């Protein structure tokens, strides 16, 4: 058996517009300048409080970052309900996941900087209720690139890290995978560039979701 652990934002769903709008409103509500979307994309994948502190150039999470985190969470659901701020699957993801779910030699999991509630919303919206055999979120583990998310999923699934692959779009996903002893697979359609993913330790880059099906035959 093998274990495939998927990041969510930027890998399965295109959530940058939603995340940025909530983040921008949070910054403005706290008297800060509205950030550029490139600043938001650079922190997608991190646990929210750490992401906000990093966007402000702070070395650590302080009281303001914690207050902004709470405000972000309170604002999120309302923005998500507005027209144009849903989180669609990237093209080809639904077909790829359907193929993976039919395999009897593979377990599927999720490792995401989203909250548990955020992941549950994605599962419900896209029919992934029974897809993820294991999952870890920002509510369960330290922020990426700490390897805890991967290690805990491996332990729960009973599969060694050497038989595990992490698929993600962020440098934090690649760093987390390598720290845990798993294979790191970057995706070219997400928010980090291919050179950034390679520099962060990616063992392979997927150009389309279908490429993962072929790559798994070699793993």
């Amino acid at each position: 058996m093998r274990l495939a652990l998927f990041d969510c934002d930027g890998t399965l769903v295109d959530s940058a517009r939603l995340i940025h709008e909530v983040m921008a409103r949070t910054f403005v509500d706290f008297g800060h300048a509205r950030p550029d979307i490139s600043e938001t994309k650079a922190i997608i994948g991190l646990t929210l409080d750490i992401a906000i502190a990093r966007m402000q150039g702070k070395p650590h999470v302080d009281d303001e970052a914690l207050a902004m985190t709470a405000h972000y969470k309170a604002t999120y659901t309302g923005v998500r309900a507005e027209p144009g701020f849903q989180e669609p699957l990237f093209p080809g993801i639904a077909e790829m996941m359907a193929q993976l779910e039919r395999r009897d030699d593979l377990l599927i999991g999720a490792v995401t900087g989203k909250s548990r509630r955020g992941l549950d919303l994605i599962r419900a919206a896209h029919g992934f209720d029974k897809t993820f055999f294991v999952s870890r979120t920002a509510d369960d583990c330290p922020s990426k690139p700490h390897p805890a998310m991967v290690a805990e999923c491996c332990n729960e699934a009973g599969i060694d890290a050497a038989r595990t692959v992490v698929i993600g779009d962020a440098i934090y996903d690649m760093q987390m995978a390598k720290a845990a002893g798993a294979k790191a697979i970057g995706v070219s359609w997400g928010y980090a560039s291919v050179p950034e993913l390679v520099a962060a330790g990616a063992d392979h880059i997927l150009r389309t979701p279908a490429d993962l099906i072929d790559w798994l035959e070699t793993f």
Side-chain angles (χ1 to χ4, degrees), residues 19-198:
I19 293 171
H20 176 63
E21 184 61 24
V22 182
M23 189 69 77
R25 294 186 192 186
T26 297
F27 268 65
V28 170
D29 288 347
F30 275 75
H32 301 295
R34 183 181 176 94
D36 185 78
I37 193 169
S38 62
E39 298 176 74
T40 303
K41 284 184 175 181
I43 54 77
I44 291 177
L46 293 173
T47 299
L48 185 56
D49 55 351
I50 294 175
I52 289 173
R54 187 165 298 185
M55 287 181 70
Q56 293 184 298
K58 297 174 180 176
H60 304 291
V61 175
D62 60 8
D63 289 343
E64 184 187 42
L66 289 175
M68 291 175 72
T69 297
H71 186 77
Y72 179 106
K73 291 179 177 180
T75 305
Y76 182 90
T77 301
V79 177
R80 190 175 187 268
E82 295 178 13
F85 289 110
Q86 286 67 50
E87 299 167 283
L89 295 175
F90 284 102
I93 291 295
E95 295 81 2
M96 175 199 71
M97 295 298 277
Q99 290 190 57
L100 295 180
E101 285 185 73
R102 291 195 292 267
R103 298 179 70 122
D104 58 9
D105 64 340
L106 185 74
L107 296 178
I108 302 171
V111 283
T112 175
K114 282 184 173 299
S115 65
R116 176 63 58 181
R117 180 171 174 274
L119 178 60
D120 287 345
L121 287 171
I122 293 299
R123 295 171 71 156
H126 297 295
F128 291 157
D129 289 325
K130 299 181 180 179
T131 299
F132 302 126
F133 180 78
V134 290
S135 61
R136 290 296 186 274
T137 72
D139 294 332
D140 309 312
C141 294
S143 179
K144 300 174 184 179
H146 193 286
M149 288 188 185
V150 176
E152 290 190 14
C153 284
C154 288
N155 289 338
E156 184 176 335
I159 297 177
D160 289 341
R163 298 291 291 168
T164 298
V165 55
V166 176
I167 304 100
D169 75 299
I171 60 173
Y172 317 114
D173 298 313
M174 305 300 99
Q175 293 167 342
M176 176 179 67
K178 304 307 285 188
K183 287 288 186 181
I185 304 298
V187 305
S188 62
W189 57 84
Y191 307 141
S193 69
V194 169
E196 287 173 324
L197 294 173
V198 171

Side-chain angles (χ1 to χ4, degrees), residues 200-219:
D203 295 299
H204 184 71
I205 299 293
L206 303 177
R207 301 295 172 177
T208 69
D211 290 345
L212 180 61
I213 307 299
D214 294 332
W215 183 86
L216 285 172
E217 298 304 319
T218 70
F219 176 47

